[in-house]
Structure formats: C-alpha cells, structure tokens
C-alpha cells in the first residue's frame, strides 16, 4: 500500500507508530469482547481529538496493538499518555464491573508501553510487527564505551 506524504506549510513527511499497550498486572481483561471494544472506542475518541489516524488494531487477551499514522501534533510519549489516561478514566468510571475481578486499585494500564516507528503500514508489516512483538519487547544490551570523545569531522568517517 503506497502512502502519500503529509504536506503542511513547514514540513513534508510521515510519522507512523506501532504501539503496544498492556493492562495492569498483564491481566487478560481483553478476553471480554465488550471490554476490548469499549476501550478501543475511547482510544478512538482521543486519537480523533489529537488528529491521529488509526490504521489498524489487534488485541491479545492481555495486550493491545495499535498502528497509528499522522502523529505530528504530539510526541509519541504524549500520545500514549493521552490515550492511556483517557481510556483508563472512562473505563474505570463507567465499566469497572467488567474487569473488577482482574484489576484492582486505580490502575487500568501498566506503567510502560512498547513503541516502534514504522514506515508505510500494510498488512504484511502489521503481521510482522505483531508476531515480532509477542516475545519480550526489549533486551538490555551493553553499549561499548567510547574512549575518544573528541569531536570528529565528517571526512573522518569516510573510508
């Protein structure tokens, strides 16, 4: 699927993300279809307000995948903060009876999230990202320590 770039008065480009959100305590609250669809409805409301386009979504029993495009008015971190905060507030206020046996306290979402910047989103890339993200989302790696911290010139890199 070819995607057109977004043109505004000062920029041309695109900004697409794959975001995975996990309920608190990684509880399988989305096994309940009503919980899943209501949560997604609130997320759609917030995305619309932020002028972000939802390209696709998919649920597992204990997580949600979102593929979003046109993320240009908010940062990725602010986008996630907004959708988690809004959907959590609405779900707890109006539909807590749907998941009160699985979640407790004031939590709905876990503290963190997974995200990856993606190019043009199509069926194949969505399948790849969803399958790739079923395992652990990150792995801590030790970065080599650089001994020479002096600034290099551009010509120093060509070989």
């Amino acid at each position: 699927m070819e995607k057109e770039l977004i043109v505004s008065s000062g920029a041309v480009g695109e900004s697409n993300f794959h975001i995975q959100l996990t309920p608190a305590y990684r509880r399988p609250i989305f096994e309940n279809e009503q919980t899943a669809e209501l949560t997604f409805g609130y997320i759609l409301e917030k995305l619309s307000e932020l002028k972000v386009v939802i390209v696709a979504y998919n649920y597992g029993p204990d997580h949600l995948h979102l593929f979003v495009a046109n993320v240009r008015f908010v940062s990725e971190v602010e986008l996630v903060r907004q959708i988690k905060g809004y959907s959590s507030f609405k779900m707890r206020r109006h539909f807590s009876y749907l998941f009160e046996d699985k979640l407790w306290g004031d939590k709905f979402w876990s503290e963190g999230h997974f995200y990856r910047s993606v190019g043009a989103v199509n069926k194949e890339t969505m399948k790849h990202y969803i399958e790739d993200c079923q395992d652990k989302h990150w792995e801590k790696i030790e970065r080599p320590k650089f001994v020479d911290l002096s600034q290099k010139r551009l010509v120093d890199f060509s070989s």
Side-chain angles (χ1 to χ4, degrees):
M1 159 165 115
E2 196 168 315
K3 199 161 185 68
E4 292 195 25
L5 297 176
I6 298 167
V7 179
S8 65
S9 62
V12 176
E14 69 177 308
S15 185
N16 307 319
F17 291 99
H18 167 211
I19 297 170
Q20 182 176 334
L21 305 176
T22 307
Y25 319 111
R26 196 144 186 122
R27 298 294 192 172
I29 65 170
F30 298 129
E31 287 176 334
N32 179 324
E33 192 173 317
Q34 189 177 11
T35 301
E37 289 307 311
L38 287 166
T39 303
F40 183 67
Y42 289 127
I43 289 172
L44 276 179
E45 282 181 21
K46 184 50 75 172
L47 290 175
S48 176
E49 179 185 315
L50 297 171
K51 299 179 182 165
V52 173
V53 176
I54 184 84
V55 178
Y57 72 102
N58 193 11
Y59 281 97
D62 61 355
H63 63 280
L64 164 65
H65 294 276
L66 297 171
F67 289 87
V68 294
N70 195 35
V71 182
R72 59 188 213 162
F73 299 109
V74 294
S75 68
E76 168 273 325
V77 172
E78 181 63 14
L79 173 70
V80 171
R81 188 186 73 74
Q82 291 271 337
I83 60 178
K84 284 172 69 174
Y86 184 74
S87 60
S88 175
F89 175 77
K90 291 292 198 171
M91 288 300 290
R92 289 204 155 280
R93 172 168 272 191
H94 301 294
F95 300 103
S96 61
Y97 65 90
L98 292 172
F99 49 84
E100 63 189 2
D101 59 327
K102 292 186 170 70
L103 299 179
W104 51 89
D106 291 333
K107 293 187 79 152
F108 185 82
W109 295 108
S110 66
E111 300 239 349
H113 66 279
F114 169 83
Y115 79 98
R116 182 177 282 166
S117 174
V118 296
V121 180
N122 59 35
K123 186 176 180 180
E124 289 77 32
T125 58
M126 287 187 296
K127 183 177 179 189
H128 165 73
Y129 285 115
I130 289 172
E131 288 174 356
D132 188 40
C133 295
Q134 294 308 311
D135 296 327
K136 187 176 179 181
H137 301 209
W138 60 88
E139 183 176 326
K140 184 175 181 180
I141 59 171
E142 293 296 323
R143 301 256 184 227
K145 293 188 175 159
F146 295 103
V147 177
D148 182 13
L149 297 177
S150 62
Q151 181 144 358
K152 298 196 182 288
R153 297 175 306 162
L154 187 56
V155 295
D156 294 337
F157 292 100
S158 59
S159 298

